Amino acid sequence: MDIRWWAVVVLAALPSLGTGGENPEAPPESWTPLWFLRFLVNAAGYASFMVPGYLLVQYFRRKNYLETGRGLCFPLVKACVFGNEPKASDEVPLSPRTEPAETTPTWQALKLLFCAVGLQVCERFTDSQFLVLMNRVLALIVAGVYCLLCKQPRHGAPMYRYSFASLSNVLSSWCQYEALKFVSFPTQVLAKASKVIPVMLMGKLVSRRSYEYWEYLTAGLISIGVSMFLLSSGPEPRSSPATTVSGLILLAGYIAFDSFTSNWQDALFAYKMSSVQMMFGVNFFSCLFTVGSLLEQGALLEGTRFMGRHSEFAAHALLLSVCSACGQLFIFYTIGQFGAAVFTIIMTLRQAFAILLSCLLYGHTITVVGGLGVAVVFAALLLRVYARGRLKQRGKKAVPVESPVQKV
């Protein structure tokens, strides 16, 4: 039986220390009617990088630059457009990740537990776009220094492929925080708890990954159980806006972009890269997008001057950036080892564990509906372990045993 899913069950006993920035306050109401206009402005800023880059990639591919190019720029163009893998192209789908044959279920369980603990402790916090830039710059530096000091696999992915994950990550964060002004607290909870199935559906589109029916069933049960627990036990904010059509559109955009981000990163691991190389590539383009947006809004210099005037702010921002870099190490390692669906399940359960720990520490009562929700989650996890074990045993029985050939 594959016991790595038992590590997810054990997570119920783990503390969750990174929930401080889970529900940031909404911006002033004077900005709320213009969300679509601001989205178009941000999209235009990102397009100022994406469109020229896309045209350059298509130009070099049409000119067959890999065969005819030469000169000082050839290594840079090759790394950014073609990569080092001869068969890695847009037309050839990436093969799914394969686990090493020598990996035992116990070792897999320990690795999953390690990833889950790291995701519980190191959580990203984004208070403003300038802080986001600091987080990404520090993460880029950490990943770059690590790649220089430690031996890494030969990088084969074209650099431009990282830009898709970076752009979807930026848009996902924007839609998430913008939606807080247009949806009620229960709607926020249901959206965050039901991300598992959209991630699995996006995986079929992005990486052509197939899932069993019982995986969809257990994912749905986990979403239902977490929603029951959060809605019955979670404290509702005093000022919770009513859910509007704009809020639902933004939530749909948040879930779609977030699902694409993790699945695209999961597909990129088919190039046999390390999680640190993935972290460097994604943060490199994230820095480009964020710097471009800040320059267009005129906020980059102002943020730098503010940090120079207030040394305490600089120290706090540096601490947040360190936590962000540590969290990204665990995020990319978890996706690379276990896939986007397992990562999303861990992050979904994290919300319930945070409230469960709060109830235990501060003596808050857990309602009957909340207790039933916890029972549904544990039942779904146990069902997932049982189904994986049966599937593995069935696969072993289906392998034919070759009879020895008798020599004459």
Side-chain angles (χ1 to χ4, degrees):
M1 177 182 294
D2 186 356
I3 64 172
R4 68 183 185 180
W5 277 98
W6 286 102
V8 181
V9 182
V10 179
L11 288 179
L14 293 178
S16 180
L17 305 179
T19 59
E22 187 64 21
N23 288 318
E25 294 183 1
E29 294 182 0
S30 59
W31 289 88
T32 55
L34 304 176
W35 72 266
F36 187 69
L37 179 60
R38 294 200 307 277
F39 177 81
L40 293 180
V41 172
N42 291 337
Y46 303 142
S48 64
F49 291 90
M50 291 293 292
V51 173
Y54 173 80
L55 295 177
L56 283 175
V57 169
Q58 295 302 317
Y59 171 79
F60 286 123
R61 289 186 176 277
R62 285 197 306 267
K63 293 297 183 180
N64 198 16
Y65 188 81
L66 190 60
E67 301 294 336
T68 61
R70 59 180 60 88
L72 295 177
C73 296
F74 178 75
L76 179 62
V77 174
K78 180 184 177 182
C80 294
V81 179
F82 300 98
N84 293 319
E85 295 291 336
K87 293 184 179 180
S89 64
D90 291 335
E91 291 77 16
V92 180
L94 299 179
S95 58
R97 293 177 297 104
T98 57
E99 296 180 0
E102 64 273 10
T103 302
T104 61
T106 303
W107 179 242
Q108 287 290 92
L110 292 176
K111 287 198 298 184
L112 181 61
L113 187 60
F114 170 75
C115 294
V117 172
L119 292 173
Q120 295 287 324
V121 176
C122 299
E123 177 70 14
R124 288 197 303 170
F125 177 80
T126 53
D127 184 61
S128 68
Q129 198 170 20
F130 187 79
L131 282 180
V132 173
L133 175 62
M134 293 189 61
N135 293 345
R136 289 165 179 171
V137 168
L138 183 61
L140 179 67
I141 295 174
V142 170
V145 172
Y146 187 91
C147 290
L148 290 176
L149 298 180
C150 301
K151 185 178 180 181
Q152 299 292 317
R154 186 188 181 194
H155 187 267
M159 286 295 296
Y160 79 91
R161 286 182 175 270
Y162 294 107
S163 63
F164 301 124
S166 300
L167 179 61
S168 61
N169 187 26
V170 171
L171 293 176
S172 171
S173 300
W174 188 89
C175 290
Q176 177 186 10
Y177 293 111
E178 191 74 13
L180 296 178
K181 300 176 291 187
F182 300 97
V183 296
S184 62
F185 177 75
T187 307
Q188 300 173 29
V189 170
L190 292 176
K192 292 181 179 180
S194 60
K195 287 197 305 180
V196 183
I197 292 181
V199 167
M200 297 171 69
L201 295 177
M202 187 66 71
K204 295 178 68 67
L205 297 176
V206 174
S207 56
R208 301 180 184 178
R209 188 176 301 277
S210 60
Y211 295 95
E212 302 290 339
Y213 291 109
W214 55 266
E215 293 183 282
Y216 288 105
L217 175 62
T218 53
L221 290 176
I222 290 174
S223 299
I224 293 174
V226 171
S227 300
M228 292 171 59
F229 180 77
L230 294 179
L231 291 176
S232 61
S233 303
E236 182 170 354
R238 296 180 180 178
S239 58
S240 181
T243 300
T244 63
V245 177
S246 297
L248 295 178
I249 294 175
L250 289 168
L251 278 181
Y254 157 64
I255 293 176
F257 289 128
D258 189 68
S259 301
F260 176 84
T261 300
S262 56
N263 277 288
W264 187 262
Q265 293 168 352
D266 188 14
L268 282 180
F269 276 110
Y271 284 102
K272 310 301 180 186
M273 70 182 68
S274 67
S275 57
V276 182
Q277 290 174 324
M278 172 74 73
M279 178 177 171
F280 180 86
V282 172
N283 281 282
F284 174 76
F285 282 98
S286 296
C287 288
L288 288 181
F289 293 141
T290 310
V291 168
S293 177
L294 287 172
L295 286 175
E296 292 174 357
Q297 299 176 17
L300 182 60
L301 294 178
E302 178 61 30
T304 305
R305 296 192 191 100
F306 181 85
M307 186 172 60
R309 293 192 303 266
H310 303 277
S311 59
E312 186 178 359
F313 166 79
H316 291 169
L318 179 61
L319 179 60
L320 291 175
S321 300
V322 171
C323 294
S324 171
C326 295
Q328 287 193 40
L329 287 172
F330 284 101
I331 288 172
F332 291 120
Y333 183 78
T334 304
I335 294 176
Q337 291 291 320
F338 302 101
V342 176
F343 166 73
T344 306
I345 289 176
I346 294 176
M347 298 304 291
T348 300
L349 295 177
R350 188 193 64 79
Q351 303 175 59
F353 297 151
I355 295 182
L356 180 61
L357 181 64
S358 175
C359 294
L360 296 177
L361 292 179
Y362 300 104
H364 299 161
T365 59
I366 301 178
T367 64
V368 176
V369 178
L372 183 60
V374 173
V376 171
V377 170
F378 275 88
L381 294 175
L382 293 175
L383 178 60
R384 200 174 182 96
V385 173
Y386 173 77
R388 279 191 176 274
R390 290 294 301 270
L391 186 63
K392 214 168 188 180
Q393 292 179 358
R394 190 183 307 170
K396 290 181 179 180
K397 292 180 181 179
V399 175
V401 180
E402 297 182 359
S403 57
V405 178
Q406 185 178 3
K407 294 184 179 181
V408 180

